[in-house]
Amino acid sequence: MENLLFACNAVLPTFAIVLLGSSLKKIGVLQDTLIQQGNTLCFQVLFPILVFFNIYAAEKINISYLKLVVIALTVIAVSLLILLFVVPRVTTDRRRMSVLIQSIYRGNFMLYGLPFSQVLGGADSAAMATSIMAATLPVLNIIGVFVYSFFSEVKGKPDLKGAAVQSVKNHILWGVIIGFVFRMLNIPLPQFLDTAGMDLAGIATPLAFLLLGGQFCISSAKKNWKALMVGLGVKLVILPVVVLFAVIYGMGITGSELVPIFIFCAAPTAITNYQMAIQFDADAELAGDFLIYSMLFSVLTMFVLIYALRSGGWL
């Protein structure tokens, strides 16, 4: 019963906020303009402040951070290679190939990584998650441009330079970099800035999930149900189970170190995948369905995985 309550307390509060956001959108409290402006506020201001304080206020920074970053990058590379080989053999529609590849291996770690790491593993896990985010965000953005460009029916070379420039300009990445500089050089913050910054950091995650709920709507997935079932099974079940088995039994990683890796693999697909599908004239309908239903079914899959990890003594 204790493990069941732990899993419930880890998953349900977040999705309660998402449901509240969806309800507020339906009754007109959350308008599209407010959602758009709120997302800009979150990802350009509040999340950079949050990741800065995750690093700045971390109790310790050690070699385990680098180890987890290497694991995350390895997961990306291996998953991508397998999907590039398998997906073209299960569908002939190039516009769907890029969507399936991106939606399966790229999860919404930027939004899910920090709050779930904090709940499941505390401040240490959140700091580790921040390090993984900083290392993987530029890589994922560049790979995303390459994958969508390669399978796109719109002619033109992948703008990898543009993707790299955009990654360097990312506010969250700079929040991490500045956090490491302040931490390593032991630069103190004035008390009023420390208090104000921590208050702002506390707003970031609940506001982001509330706005996410405002964008949540169930669309018809009859046309895409086969691709969805297979893709969601791989994304939400097979990928996290395989990675967790490898890092637990192969590398002996448990506890706070396991948490960010678990979230990295188990989080629902990233919103960026849908946006890029539109940009590159891929199958945006499939990308949108994958985004919505991965978010919906992840409530169940993450609950079950957290319960299993807790029962096994690995969390």
Side-chain angles (χ1 to χ4, degrees), residues 230-251:
V230 174
L232 291 172
V234 175
K235 173 72 188 83
L236 299 178
V237 180
I238 295 177
L239 177 60
V241 168
V242 169
V243 173
L244 288 171
F245 182 86
V247 297
I248 291 173
Y249 289 101
M251 304 181 67

Side-chain angles (χ1 to χ4, degrees), residues 8 18 31 44 52 105 112 114 162 184 210-211 218 283 309:
C8 287
V18 173
Q31 302 288 339
Q44 292 191 10
F52 169 85
Y105 87 87
Y112 283 74
L114 296 179
M184 296 304 179
L210 191 71
L211 296 171
I218 301 296
D283 192 336
L309 291 172

Side-chain angles (χ1 to χ4, degrees), residues 54-75:
N54 279 342
I55 296 296
Y56 178 76
E59 293 184 5
K60 59 181 180 179
I61 295 178
N62 53 46
I63 194 64
S64 65
Y65 287 38
L66 179 59
K67 177 175 65 177
L68 297 182
V69 166
V70 172
I71 292 173
L73 292 173
T74 302
V75 170

Side-chain angles (χ1 to χ4, degrees), residues 76 79-107 143-144 147-148 151-152 223-236 239 267-270 272-274 276-278 281-291 293-294:
I76 293 172
S79 300
L80 182 62
L81 289 174
I82 293 174
L83 290 169
L84 286 172
F85 177 79
V86 173
V87 170
R89 286 162 174 76
V90 298
T91 180
T92 57
D93 188 342
R94 295 182 65 83
R95 296 176 70 248
R96 295 168 73 89
M97 292 178 191
S98 55
V99 170
L100 285 172
I101 291 170
Q102 282 292 112
S103 297
I104 289 173
Y105 87 87
R106 182 171 186 176
I143 291 176
V147 170
Y148 273 107
F151 290 103
S152 175
K223 177 182 175 182
N224 299 315
W225 74 269
K226 289 184 179 179
L228 278 173
M229 290 302 100
V230 174
L232 291 172
V234 175
K235 173 72 188 83
L236 299 178
L239 177 60
T269 193
T272 308
N273 296 332
Y274 174 65
M276 294 184 74
I278 297 175
D281 193 29
D283 192 336
E285 182 182 63
L286 175 60
D289 285 340
F290 210 108
L291 172 64
Y293 287 95
S294 69

Side-chain angles (χ1 to χ4, degrees), residues 6-187:
F6 181 86
C8 287
N9 290 332
V11 173
L12 295 184
T14 295
F15 291 100
I17 297 175
V18 173
L19 290 176
L20 175 60
S22 179
S23 300
L24 292 176
K25 174 65 182 297
K26 289 180 179 179
I27 64 176
V29 175
L30 279 182
Q31 302 288 339
D32 290 335
T33 301
L34 177 59
I35 292 172
Q36 183 179 0
Q37 293 173 340
N39 282 329
T40 301
L41 174 65
C42 283
F43 293 107
Q44 292 191 10
V45 180
L46 298 180
F47 266 103
I49 293 174
L50 174 60
V51 296
F52 169 85
F53 278 96
N54 279 342
I55 296 296
Y56 178 76
E59 293 184 5
K60 59 181 180 179
I61 295 178
N62 53 46
I63 194 64
S64 65
Y65 287 38
L66 179 59
K67 177 175 65 177
L68 297 182
V69 166
V70 172
I71 292 173
L73 292 173
T74 302
V75 170
I76 293 172
V78 173
S79 300
L80 182 62
L81 289 174
I82 293 174
L83 290 169
L84 286 172
F85 177 79
V86 173
V87 170
R89 286 162 174 76
V90 298
T91 180
T92 57
D93 188 342
R94 295 182 65 83
R95 296 176 70 248
R96 295 168 73 89
M97 292 178 191
S98 55
V99 170
L100 285 172
I101 291 170
Q102 282 292 112
S103 297
I104 289 173
Y105 87 87
R106 182 171 186 176
N108 199 351
F109 189 69
M110 185 165 65
L111 184 55
Y112 283 74
L114 296 179
F116 277 94
S117 293
Q118 180 70 47
V119 170
L120 296 173
D124 284 347
S125 291
M128 295 174 194
T130 300
S131 301
I132 292 174
M133 183 187 300
T136 58
L137 189 60
V139 175
L140 289 169
N141 286 342
I142 293 173
I143 291 176
V145 171
F146 174 80
V147 170
Y148 273 107
S149 298
F150 181 79
F151 290 103
S152 175
E153 294 182 346
V154 179
K155 294 182 179 180
K157 294 182 179 179
D159 186 13
L160 300 183
K161 180 180 179 181
V165 171
Q166 287 299 114
S167 297
V168 171
K169 290 181 178 179
N170 188 283
H171 294 73
I172 294 175
L173 178 62
W174 280 103
V176 175
I177 292 173
I178 296 172
F180 270 113
V181 170
F182 271 66
R183 176 59 189 257
M184 296 304 179
L185 298 181
N186 199 26
I187 301 174

